[in-house]
Amino acid sequence: MNTPTNATLPGQPHIAYSGDQLHVEGVRLSELAREHGTPLFVYSKAAMLSALAAYQRGFAGRQAQICYAMKANSSLAILQLFAEAGCGFDIVSGGELARVLAAGGDPAKVIFSGVGKTRAEMKQALQVGIACFNVESEAELDVLSDVAVGLGKKAPVSLRVNPNVDPKTHPYISTGLKGNKFGIAHEDALRAYQHAASLPGLKVVGIDCHIGSQITDSTPYLDAMDRVLDLVADVEAAGIPIHHIDFGGGLGINYNGDTPPEADALWAQLLAKLDARGYGQRQLMVEPGRSLVGNAGVCLTEVLYLKPGEQKNFCIIDAAMNDLPRPAMYQAFHQIVPVQPRSGDGVVYDVVGPVCESGDWIGRDRQLLVQAGDVLAVLSAGAYCMSMASNYNTRGRAAEILVDGTKAHLIRQRESAFDTFALEQLV
Ligand SMILES: *Cc1c(COP(=O)(O)O)cnc(C)c1O
């Protein structure tokens, strides 16, 4: 496990070894762990802004709005960063809308996705004037129109259509196939648009799709674009203008040698198709989540015990499935590296947390040279980790740090045990 000095990690240019120490930008991770304890999420501001810049370059000269899909990581300081950089937000709940407002985001740049919006959430979003509701069923159209009429407003709507293309990703993160709970089937979309256009509380403004997540190939995007543009033509031929076209999120990141296209390269291909089909001057929207934040974050964790076994050696760490749910949920792979590598060969371990579940593993069959007390960094932990974290086993959620150059800002305090039961009452 000899890690070369001054080595950047694949896909993570702002997370690198300098000397014998892993850094996020100009900050030593061993020092952050000592000062703030573990588990600890550490994010690079520069990495987030450079991921965003790839989209911004891709859309240069176009009318495009980037709406950060905030469920990937909804910490207020991260929303603030993206809001200040000009992003809108793709939200999936009223709670996320409250976060956008608390972070200073512009509600006029918010789009609201999700199959199960409640009347209360619709009302909240209409009152602050969001840009668009991405509606996922005909039944939702009726309820949204009713809520809007009650408020004397017209709700701007886009229909989320299901282009039925296979994004070739994990089944749990594929969303654009038949038999999936998301979106309106391609065959039903024209009828749904006619229905929407007939309702008194709605104004049709757009169309959208989102085919899945951790997509590492441009083909599914190109196929989905063709399907969506076919529908735009049909809907407009029926006399319903489509103002904006939203291509969703889903671009993958490098977890384990994955080679997704860069956002600007992907969009060069997609825009060429849009231009060829005559839609290049439309208002465009995208909803990236993981690709803006995933490789900008690490989770620091301390080795508690090494437990040799007959079939497996276990490296027991102080982070668990409640902090890093992706391995347990999707069998996802995160690289795990020491923040201060030792020299030598190491031993193969299953890296596991303290939670009382066999599913509580963070990495399997990893070669590591570690001792109890060493700090490890779980990489690619900027997306769908802290935002999915729970208090299972009455574990307080981790603290979070945003690094900016040589400054480390504490953006969320560690939860205490008391915090985890503060809303409960004895009878
Ligand atoms: C989750 C989600 C996204 C973001 O997906 P990523 O894979 O993180 O880019 C975008 N749009 C919708 C509707 C989503 O549900």
Side-chain angles (χ1 to χ4, degrees), residues 69 71-72 90 113 160 210 212-214 248-251 287-290 384:
K71 71 179 190 288
D90 174 40
S113 300
R160 174 167 176 183
H210 171 72
S213 201
Q214 186 52 18
L251 181 58
E287 308 165 352
R290 185 190 316 271
Y384 302 108

Side-chain angles (χ1 to χ4, degrees), residues 186-199:
H186 192 91
E187 311 76 84
D188 301 333
L190 179 57
R191 195 189 64 222
Y193 268 103
Q194 285 166 329
H195 182 180
S198 75
L199 291 171

Side-chain angles (χ1 to χ4, degrees), residues 55 67-72 90-92 111-114 134 136 160 173 175 182 208-215 221 246-252 286-293 383-384:
Y55 282 92
C67 291
Y68 168 50
M70 62 179 280
K71 71 179 190 288
D90 174 40
I91 66 168
V92 291
I111 53 182
F112 193 168
S113 300
N134 288 351
E136 303 217 13
R160 174 167 176 183
I173 48 182
T175 58
F182 298 102
D208 73 282
C209 72
H210 171 72
I211 55 175
S213 201
Q214 186 52 18
I215 300 167
Y221 282 105
D246 175 349
F247 293 101
L251 181 58
V286 283
E287 308 165 352
R290 185 190 316 271
S291 54
L292 292 183
V293 293
Y384 302 108

Side-chain angles (χ1 to χ4, degrees), residues 112-133:
F112 193 168
S113 300
V115 296
K117 303 175 194 77
T118 65
R119 282 175 177 264
E121 288 173 321
M122 291 171 175
K123 193 171 165 195
Q124 176 193 3
L126 283 165
Q127 277 166 337
V128 300
I130 67 163
C132 186
F133 291 83

Side-chain angles (χ1 to χ4, degrees), residues 51 184 311:
I184 294 171
Q311 296 189 339

Side-chain angles (χ1 to χ4, degrees), residues 32 36 40-43 399-403 408-412:
L32 289 180
H36 297 279
L40 181 70
F41 284 95
V42 184
Y43 308 116
E400 295 179 289
I401 302 278
L402 181 64
V403 169
H409 301 279
L410 179 66
I411 60 169
R412 183 186 166 104

Side-chain angles (χ1 to χ4, degrees), residues 39-82:
L40 181 70
F41 284 95
V42 184
Y43 308 116
S44 158
K45 176 178 171 179
M48 292 184 189
L49 290 180
S50 81
L52 175 62
Y55 282 92
Q56 290 167 327
R57 276 195 306 278
F59 291 121
R62 306 283 175 157
Q63 297 184 63
Q65 177 64 55
I66 300 164
C67 291
Y68 168 50
M70 62 179 280
K71 71 179 190 288
N73 187 324
S74 54
S75 294
L76 291 187
I78 289 170
L79 304 184
Q80 176 189 22
L81 178 72
F82 285 121

